[in-house]
Amino acid sequence: MNPRIYFDHSATTPLDPRVLAAMGPFLGGAFGNPSSLHHEGRVAREAVEDARAQVAALIGAEPEEIIFTGSGTEADNLALIGAVRASGRSGHIVTSSIEHAAILETCRFLAASGAKPGTRITHLPVDADGLVGPESLLRALQSNVTLVSIMAANNVVGTLQPIEELAHLTKLHGVLFHTDAVQAAGKIPLDVNRLHVDLLSLSAHKLHGPKGIGALYVRKGVCLSPVVFGGGQERGLRSATENVAGIVGFGAAAVLAREELTGEAARLAQFRTRIARELTRTLPHSYLFGHPVQRLPGHLSFGLRGEEREVGKILAALDAAGVAVSAGSACSANHTGEPSGVLLAMGYDEERARGLLRLSLGRFNTQQEVDRFLQILPQAVASVTRGAARTHERVPDLSAVALA
Ligand code: PLP
């Protein structure tokens, strides 16, 4: 039997065995608490600080600008709630309409709760490719803004935002800029100084590291209030005994991601382009979601015209044939057949917004797997949609997807 094909790296990635090897000692004998002053504690502290430097290097930051958190979600919460609470002004967050739930729900909490009374949220629109326009940001910046938060790469459609330009405009207005780089880190080059960002969220499990460990980059001089209170670890911004093994794994994953980024990005973009080309041939009613060029290297989202309601069955047929792909965000309602909020925001109607298939490739995927997938997919689609009426309208096909 053929091994399974995993094309759902935007949901999570397999742990790299080299990362597991680095974590091993800290799941066993090296169990000290980094706050302890004895030998065991010092060993743990040294490992945490080494990992901090490794994570910082991935994004061009200083080690002391990295705050370890329990996840990417928690990093997003700390950035938004922490900035609004620390600010003297009445809270106003400007964000995009296609952010991850970790941002959208935190905004909803801030707007609804007493965390900072009177907090306002502005959701910037995106175009049909999922891009935020600088003009709409400029307009929003005319009012009193505390923080702008725009994701670097979208998890559903893979579109990359022009972060450097958006952050630059934001800085000209003296406003803090946060980016959720959970999907982008390790896949495209990120440098906090070139990007002009003040805050940036990361998550280890999206770059072949362990689950349950994230980080927030906090530029020197930026003032945040904590959201977790206790023993004052992580410069008082994230109290709790550190997840030493997770942090060590994050550091090792960051080193590998940095070393392998250029080669991996080119390799995955080639796979993606080949898949897109083949799909236009074998499934001519397929159409692309997201920007054709400004997108994550190993990420391809598409729909099948006239077969939007069959996505759940196609996923199940692929799963039965040994292939794991998804219908969008692992934490969205899309699995229940609800339209994707991201696609609705991009201007798709409800029908189209139900029909997204997402392929996200990663480090251990091979050419053979791509070839096998290209055989399996049309069969899976045919098995589900046999006899279903198709429209023969011209659709924007996937051939526009260029090498990154
Ligand atoms: N932000 C984005 C863009 C994501 O895709 C995800 C996870 O899918 C998160 C934040 C949340 O990260 P975590 O799973 O570490 O909480």
Side-chain angles (χ1 to χ4, degrees):
M1 209 178 85
N2 278 318
R4 285 182 63 81
I5 298 173
Y6 184 77
F7 279 179
D8 196 14
H9 290 77
S10 289
T12 194
T13 59
L15 194 66
D16 190 303
R18 296 167 289 181
V19 173
L20 182 60
M23 293 170 69
F26 298 92
L27 294 163
F31 58 86
N33 183 328
S35 297
S36 300
L37 297 180
H38 46 58
H39 171 77
E40 285 78 1
R42 291 199 308 276
V43 168
R45 169 58 55 202
E46 201 174 311
V48 166
E49 297 314 318
D50 286 350
R52 199 185 303 282
Q54 291 165 333
V55 171
L58 180 64
I59 55 168
E62 298 296 325
E64 55 275 22
E65 294 175 312
I66 299 297
I67 302 296
F68 287 115
T69 63
S71 60
T73 299
E74 196 190 310
D76 284 343
N77 274 258
L78 176 57
L80 270 55
I81 300 172
V84 166
R85 278 200 185 139
S87 119
R89 317 181 193 183
S90 68
H92 179 193
I93 293 180
V94 173
T95 188
S96 85
S97 44
I98 60 166
E99 297 292 312
H100 187 271
I103 296 291
L104 295 178
E105 290 303 314
T106 304
C107 286
R108 202 194 304 264
F109 163 77
L110 281 167
S113 79
K116 177 100 181 196
T119 299
R120 281 199 303 134
I121 311 293
T122 300
H123 292 98
L124 300 179
V126 293
D127 67 15
D129 291 332
L131 285 174
V132 172
E135 326 72 42
S136 67
L137 174 62
L138 272 176
R139 240 172 285 124
L141 284 166
Q142 300 312 313
S143 52
N144 204 5
V145 178
T146 315
L147 173 79
V148 174
S149 178
I150 309 284
M151 70 200 318
N154 182 264
N155 47 311
V156 177
V157 294
T159 297
L160 304 177
Q161 297 295 343
I163 293 300
E164 187 174 345
E165 183 184 3
L166 299 176
H168 180 63
L169 290 176
T170 302
K171 301 310 297 169
L172 290 179
H173 286 75
V175 173
L176 288 179
F177 191 94
H178 166 252
T179 188
D180 175 341
V182 166
Q183 291 289 342
K187 296 172 194 145
I188 57 165
L190 292 174
D191 183 302
V192 289
N193 294 315
R194 193 175 59 75
L195 293 175
H196 316 289
V197 300
D198 299 300
L199 300 157
L200 180 147
S201 301
L202 298 167
S203 178
H205 77 100
K206 307 289 188 183
L207 41 97
H208 299 282
K211 294 174 183 56
I213 183 75
L216 182 66
Y217 157 77
V218 184
R219 182 178 289 282
K220 233 173 263 169
V222 168
C223 198
L224 286 188
S225 292
V227 294
V228 176
F229 299 89
Q233 291 90 342
E234 296 296 300
R235 292 204 281 115
L237 283 176
R238 206 282 184 166
S239 288
T241 301
E242 294 88 341
N243 170 3
V244 180
I247 288 171
V248 168
F250 195 175
V255 170
L256 293 171
R258 194 156 80 102
E259 286 172 358
E260 298 180 5
L261 191 146
T262 311
E264 269 302 279
R267 195 180 72 94
L268 295 179
Q270 242 167 13
F271 288 168
R272 180 197 66 196
T273 306
R274 172 156 153 64
I275 294 172
R277 287 215 182 105
E278 274 299 298
L279 291 193
T280 56
R281 204 175 55 77
T282 56
L283 297 168
H285 59 310
S286 56
Y287 55 94
L288 175 73
F289 288 123
H291 198 284
V293 180
Q294 282 166 239
R295 55 185 306 121
L296 286 169
H299 192 293
L300 190 68
S301 288
F302 63 97
L304 296 169
R305 183 155 300 196
E307 293 166 359
E308 283 83 357
R309 285 177 186 265
E310 310 302 331
V311 154
K313 288 185 198 153
I314 294 170
L315 281 186
L318 284 170
D319 193 27
V323 182
V325 304
S326 86
S329 166
C331 16
S332 79
N334 217 21
H335 290 280
T336 60
E338 289 298 308
S340 152
V342 170
L343 293 184
L344 291 176
M346 286 163 63
Y348 287 93
D349 63 24
E350 288 208 2
E351 194 64 14
R352 292 280 155 75
R354 280 198 180 89
L356 177 131
L357 284 157
R358 179 182 74 178
L359 314 176
S360 47
L361 280 62
R363 185 174 293 159
F364 302 112
N365 289 136
T366 63
Q367 180 70 57
Q368 288 72 20
E369 288 179 328
V370 170
D371 292 343
R372 204 145 59 79
F373 170 75
L374 288 170
Q375 284 177 348
I376 294 171
L377 178 66
Q379 292 165 9
V381 173
S383 74
V384 167
T385 61
R386 203 166 282 134
R390 282 185 190 165
T391 59
H392 291 283
E393 246 174 284
R394 267 306 290 153
V395 289
D397 68 30
L398 279 75
S399 58
V401 175
L403 280 178

